[in-house]
Amino acid sequence: MTCIQGFVAAVPTANRAAFIDHADKAASAFRDHGCLSAVECWGDEVPMDDLTSFPLAVQAGADETVVFSWYVWPSKSAHDAVMQGPMTDPRLSIEGNPMPFDGKRVIFGAFEPLVEFGTPQQGGYVDGFVIPVPKANQGAFRKQAAEFAPIFADFGASCIIECWEQDVPDGKLTDFRRAVQAQTDEAIVFSLVQWPDKATRDAGSARMMQDARFSDLEMPFDGKRMVFGGFVPVVQV
């Protein structure tokens, strides 16, 4: 069973080029240490909300852009062996590859894929989501996600991945649980929908709004606390 490592961070918008250089080096290093693939995305349409949102989740300032990233590992044990081991590769050290953003506000965690549909692609456009789901509703969430993944594909999506928390640590400033105001009986779901391009995503989203299958949808979670945004891949290895 693969392990998905998810990240959300706030990066000074002026540091976009520096972030891409940093992320490319880090992602390439993790690939050399066993990671199967890595995607780093720059925020494009990331709405702010008073209750929950990606900007609130990482305490993003007006001059910062939210990034959404995921790394795929062959297993949780392979992920742990690298992440908990010594970072001797200079591409993974602060000295060798300094972060052009505030690392204290990065939120991260390890997740187990529940639904994987379609084929990941280079480039495109990504809708990212973080969702609080009652742990008792895992089966209902998996069933609904599996039923709707091919419908998203019918509207043009190329890849849908829905992941259930495995190891989501609490942070001092920010973390996934605070991002969605998760209760003790709720788990974190990290999800993404990849599209061939933004135009396909916009057209597909508009068509979904008119589809009767979505109009009466009963979600097995509190949709008001779901956070979401649109992102552009800038690093893929």
Side-chain angles (χ1 to χ4, degrees):
M1 176 68 71
T2 56
C3 173
I4 306 291
Q5 185 183 26
F7 297 92
V8 183
V11 179
T13 304
N15 289 357
R16 184 178 188 275
F19 169 77
I20 292 174
D21 180 65
H22 165 84
D24 185 60
K25 290 177 181 176
S28 297
F30 282 122
R31 278 296 302 266
D32 291 345
H33 291 283
C35 180
L36 299 177
S37 64
V39 182
E40 301 268 3
C41 300
W42 189 260
D44 175 60
E45 291 185 358
V46 185
M48 172 65 84
D49 191 274
D50 293 335
L51 182 62
T52 59
S53 68
F54 274 124
L56 285 176
V58 291
Q59 300 179 13
D63 61 342
E64 294 180 317
T65 296
V66 176
V67 298
F68 178 90
S69 311
W70 70 95
Y71 287 50
V72 182
W73 295 85
S75 65
K76 178 65 162 55
S77 59
H79 161 275
D80 291 347
V82 175
M83 299 307 295
Q84 297 175 8
M87 295 293 181
T88 56
D89 191 314
R91 294 170 295 177
L92 300 176
S93 70
I94 295 177
E95 295 78 14
N97 190 17
M99 294 185 294
F101 54 88
D102 180 6
K104 294 179 181 178
R105 288 183 283 134
V106 176
I107 63 177
F108 60 92
F111 300 83
E112 172 190 359
L114 291 181
V115 174
E116 296 179 273
F117 190 91
T119 303
Q121 65 176 68
Q122 287 291 312
Y125 195 83
V126 173
D127 283 321
F129 305 86
V130 179
I131 313 167
V133 180
K135 296 174 183 177
N137 290 356
Q138 183 185 31
F141 178 85
R142 184 201 298 264
K143 181 176 183 295
Q144 187 178 88
E147 290 174 348
F148 277 88
I151 298 175
F152 273 86
D154 286 344
F155 287 120
S158 55
C159 179
I160 299 95
I161 302 175
E162 306 273 4
C163 305
W164 193 266
E165 74 166 66
Q166 282 185 306
D167 182 13
V168 179
D170 293 334
K172 293 183 178 179
L173 291 177
T174 58
D175 57 51
F176 273 114
R177 302 194 65 79
R178 295 185 208 191
V180 291
Q181 300 182 13
Q183 306 300 307
T184 55
D185 65 340
E186 292 178 322
I188 303 301
V189 166
F190 181 89
S191 303
L192 62 101
V193 179
Q194 190 173 28
W195 304 84
D197 48 52
K198 186 176 181 181
T200 303
R201 178 264 211 170
D202 289 346
S205 297
R207 289 169 56 203
M208 278 188 280
M209 296 296 291
Q210 305 301 319
D211 193 299
R213 291 170 294 185
F214 290 89
S215 61
D216 298 324
L217 181 63
E218 293 187 11
M219 297 181 291
F221 56 86
D222 180 7
K224 294 179 181 178
R225 288 184 285 129
M226 176 178 70
V227 302
F228 59 91
F231 302 84
V232 177
V234 292
V235 172
Q236 292 176 280
V237 299

